[in-house]
Amino acid sequence: MHLSRRALLAAATATASLGATPAAAADHPSTGFERLAADAYALLSGQRVGVVTNPTGITRDASHIVDVMHTDPRVKLTAVFGPEHGFRGTAQAGGSEGRYDDPATGLPVYDTYLKSGRPLADIFTASGVDTIVFDIQDVGARFYTYIWTLYDCMEAAQLAGKRFVVLDRPNPVTGRSAQGPVLHKEFATFVGRQPVAQAHGMTVAELARLFNGEFLSAPVPLETVLMTGWKRTRFYDASGLPWVPPSPNMPTADTALVYSGTCMFEGTNLSEGRGTTRPFELLGAEGVDGRWAAAVNELGLPGVRFREAYFTPTFSKFQGKTVGGVQIHVRDRAAYDPVRTGIALLVTARKVWDGFAWRSDNWIDKLTGSTRVRTMIDAGAGTDEVVAGWQEELAAFRSVRKEYLLYK
């Protein structure tokens, strides 16, 4: 990849945004919404506004930004657009809320889930908005669908001739670096539209600039409202913001910490912990015993230990059955590498449990972005060998990524 002419246009567009050069703040960062409101919504003046959001679009006192803006005469909020799980968060994985009028505000809520291109552009046109605002808490993983909702909405806004504003929030697992394999375009789906690393290490505003500069066929009129006081090394608990689960199986910021690695178990016949109180931290299957925890602990992976664990999922894989496996205990967040750890868990699970299998649809290839991880593990490759296989493409992504970073 390379820095394209579109990147220069995106950078010029962002320069006009509120807070293009973030200043130092006090103990906790100010979110994009907080800065927008503090500026009396000047960026939205005279505009009919629609907001793409979900339950994570909150203020520091846990009020929802839609409820706040709806009662503020300085902003003309006329529509809401809901992603996967819905605007108010009532739907499980793979679901949405459909089209309805929000009981609390009376605003029309439009469903964006699994819509893109011209059909989504037509929804934006029908809503009558001039400006589309995006404010959703991401978790830092390529296969978490909200960043592709961002991408699809930017593309559709461009087609519909709408202005696009991104309100930034912290990457809860820091923005220190990108890790993991990069998506190959032939494996593009809603869990990865474009060549981005599995753990991207970016905020949504940075991703929006990347999308506009590198991937959209034509750039959308984009403005970003940045945070002040956020540093790339900070985890979510340093933000002072309450944690709202972005989706039903992302209950805590600890879940987000492991997710970019252990979500790969969705591509296997093992439980990724859905249906437990610790999804993505508990992994297992019928017939797995303490040998798995012992095998992965022997690798001495930095910042993490594994406990032999038994659990009974209430839904999803192995519903109502007691399974054996591991619980992940992260002991040093700064040293922990979730993607490498996820690969180590896959490699060791295959070695110690003869029932190991990939999902029959090879979903693992969509999650990791190519056939490489699956075929190398099947061929008996170890963790170091698998990780080495993506370093060249990761270096290329990191080179492009650095052109769009907005914080130190």
Side-chain angles (χ1 to χ4, degrees):
M1 289 193 277
H2 62 283
L3 184 59
S4 68
R5 287 175 298 193
R6 294 196 304 275
L8 300 178
L9 176 58
T13 303
T15 302
S17 303
L18 182 60
T21 305
D27 291 342
H28 299 310
S30 295
T31 65
F33 177 77
E34 288 172 326
R35 300 196 62 226
L36 177 75
D39 199 42
Y41 303 101
L43 197 60
L44 307 179
S45 178
Q47 300 282 296
R48 292 168 296 179
V49 177
V51 180
V52 184
T53 191
N54 70 354
T56 66
I58 58 166
T59 62
R60 199 165 296 274
D61 68 357
S63 300
H64 198 282
I65 67 165
V66 166
D67 299 325
V68 172
M69 287 193 289
H70 175 66
T71 59
D72 196 318
R74 297 174 297 178
V75 58
K76 189 174 184 180
L77 182 60
T78 60
V80 181
F81 303 98
E84 184 180 6
H85 308 294
F87 159 48
R88 294 293 186 182
T90 65
Q92 259 290 351
S96 59
E97 293 173 337
R99 166 70 177 89
Y100 68 100
D101 291 337
D102 178 46
T105 62
L107 291 167
V109 179
Y110 299 87
D111 186 9
T112 72
Y113 182 49
L114 298 181
K115 298 176 178 67
S116 60
R118 180 54 62 183
L120 183 53
D122 290 344
I123 290 174
F124 289 160
T125 299
S127 73
V129 303
D130 305 307
T131 294
I132 296 158
V133 173
F134 182 95
D135 190 358
I136 293 179
Q137 177 64 59
D138 181 41
V139 300
R142 183 189 61 234
F143 34 58
Y144 207 54
T145 63
Y146 296 134
I147 65 171
W148 304 113
T149 295
L150 169 64
Y151 178 86
D152 289 343
C153 287
M154 289 175 64
E155 179 183 53
Q158 188 277 326
L159 291 172
K162 307 298 181 183
R163 184 166 161 260
F164 205 88
V165 176
V166 177
L167 307 182
D168 215 6
R169 289 184 180 270
N171 183 325
V173 297
T174 79
R176 291 173 298 169
S177 66
Q179 300 291 343
V182 176
L183 178 83
H184 295 191
K185 283 295 293 288
E186 61 268 30
F187 291 89
T189 66
F190 193 45
V191 294
R193 296 276 197 227
Q194 297 291 347
V196 169
Q198 191 162 306
H200 52 71
M202 302 177 79
T203 70
V204 289
E206 293 172 336
L207 283 166
R209 285 164 52 88
L210 173 72
F211 295 162
N212 219 32
E214 299 294 326
F215 301 135
L216 290 178
S217 58
V220 67
L222 173 66
E223 299 188 73
T224 53
V225 184
L226 307 188
M227 297 175 283
T228 55
W230 186 72
K231 298 184 184 300
R232 307 202 74 83
T233 56
R234 289 186 175 178
F235 291 89
Y236 193 82
D237 53 10
S239 71
L241 293 164
W243 178 262
V244 175
S247 56
N249 295 290
M250 194 64 61
T252 70
D254 288 340
T255 320
L257 185 62
V258 302
Y259 176 76
S260 62
T262 55
C263 183
M264 290 187 287
F265 278 83
E266 285 187 356
T268 74
N269 63 339
L270 285 87
S271 168
E272 64 275 11
R274 292 182 186 272
T276 76
T277 58
R278 307 298 289 192
F280 303 105
E281 297 176 68
L282 285 168
L283 309 167
E286 288 186 296
V288 176
D289 57 28
R291 290 176 296 168
W292 188 16
V296 72
N297 277 327
E298 284 178 5
L299 298 177
L301 295 167
V304 64
R305 289 288 292 178
F306 305 88
R307 180 183 68 86
E308 177 183 356
Y310 297 89
F311 56 95
T312 305
T314 59
F315 63 88
S316 194
K317 299 172 185 173
F318 303 107
Q319 180 178 356
K321 298 179 179 179
T322 299
V323 301
V326 299
Q327 182 176 2
I328 300 170
H329 294 271
V330 178
R331 303 196 300 182
D332 182 347
R333 295 183 301 183
Y336 175 67
D337 181 339
V339 182
R340 182 185 183 87
T341 300
I343 294 296
L345 284 161
L346 289 169
V347 168
T348 51
R350 187 178 181 277
K351 287 181 178 178
V352 303
W353 182 49
D354 59 10
F356 179 92
W358 304 108
R359 245 173 65 172
S360 59
D361 60 357
N362 286 336
W363 184 243
I364 186 67
D365 298 349
K366 305 297 192 301
L367 294 171
T368 59
S370 75
T371 64
R372 182 196 295 115
V373 167
R374 174 176 55 84
T375 57
M376 288 187 73
I377 291 176
D378 282 347
T383 301
D384 290 345
E385 189 177 356
V386 175
V387 171
W390 65 61
Q391 292 306 310
E392 185 175 344
E393 63 191 33
L394 178 60
F397 173 75
R398 286 172 172 170
S399 179
V400 174
R401 169 184 174 271
K402 69 182 180 182
E403 302 295 335
Y404 297 93
L405 301 182
L406 299 167
Y407 307 92
K408 295 181 179 179

